[in-house]
Amino acid sequence: MRILIPLFLSMALGADPTHRPDPLEQLSWMAGCWQAASAERSVEEMWLRPRGGSMLGMNRTIRGDKTVASELMRIIDREGQLVFIAQPSGQAAVEFVADQVGVGAVVFSNPEHDFPQRIRYQRAGADSLIARVEGIRSGQTGGIDFRYARVSCP
């Protein structure tokens, strides 16, 4: 639900009637360093806070003492629409458009992409984050969850 404040009241309260809120601020809870570790692998992900119309992120997957995958990521505000741009392991960049943005959750979709077709980030308390990639692969619908814990940034 959107609450509308009359122009005269917002001006009386000191609000700038020409100011448009930054849609990226809705995702500020993603900023920071995150890690999902198991006996087989460690996945690290880091997001810079929203600034200048973008959030920048990167992640890497480590097995043993070797990086086996990495990804550069951006979330941008394109005319009020949030767009997630992923570039995994040096491949071509792929765009996913936000079709759901809520308190502590965002879903980006690209139905034309091979896999995944959806990317979801969900806040799970102050120190946890769940990232999910999902879609159809080889005729089967499925997904992969990454359950991250907040860690100190280097």
Side-chain angles (χ1 to χ4, degrees):
M1 180 173 82
R2 193 172 181 173
I3 298 174
L4 299 176
I5 299 174
L7 179 60
F8 71 89
L9 181 57
S10 67
M11 290 175 68
L13 296 172
D16 178 357
T18 62
H19 175 73
R20 181 176 69 89
D22 182 354
L24 282 166
E25 284 300 322
Q26 298 174 83
L27 304 183
S28 61
W29 50 269
M30 289 174 55
C33 295
W34 306 92
Q35 183 175 24
S38 69
E40 301 86 37
R41 68 179 181 187
S42 175
V43 181
E44 302 168 335
E45 186 157 313
M46 181 171 94
W47 283 97
L48 296 176
R49 66 184 172 88
R51 189 166 181 207
S54 70
M55 287 182 74
L56 301 178
M58 62 183 162
N59 78 24
R60 67 179 169 188
T61 301
I62 300 170
R63 284 203 176 114
D65 61 353
K66 184 177 180 184
T67 298
V68 295
S70 63
E71 185 169 19
L72 299 176
M73 302 168 292
R74 290 181 292 152
I75 301 174
I76 62 170
D77 173 6
R78 184 180 290 150
E79 300 176 7
Q81 180 72 57
L82 297 179
V83 179
F84 181 96
I85 304 166
Q87 189 170 7
S89 297
Q91 297 176 32
V94 178
E95 294 188 358
F96 298 81
V97 176
D99 52 16
Q100 296 176 33
V101 181
V103 177
V106 61
V107 178
F108 299 94
S109 299
N110 179 342
E112 304 303 316
H113 189 251
D114 55 3
F115 184 88
Q117 286 93 40
R118 283 174 305 286
I119 300 170
R120 176 183 175 93
Y121 281 91
Q122 181 175 348
R123 186 177 192 172
D127 295 324
S128 297
L129 177 73
I130 301 169
R132 179 174 176 79
V133 294
E134 61 186 22
I136 301 170
R137 186 179 351 182
S138 303
Q140 300 289 324
T141 300
I144 304 166
D145 288 331
F146 298 90
R147 297 182 179 277
Y148 291 112
R150 187 178 295 279
V151 295
S152 296
C153 291

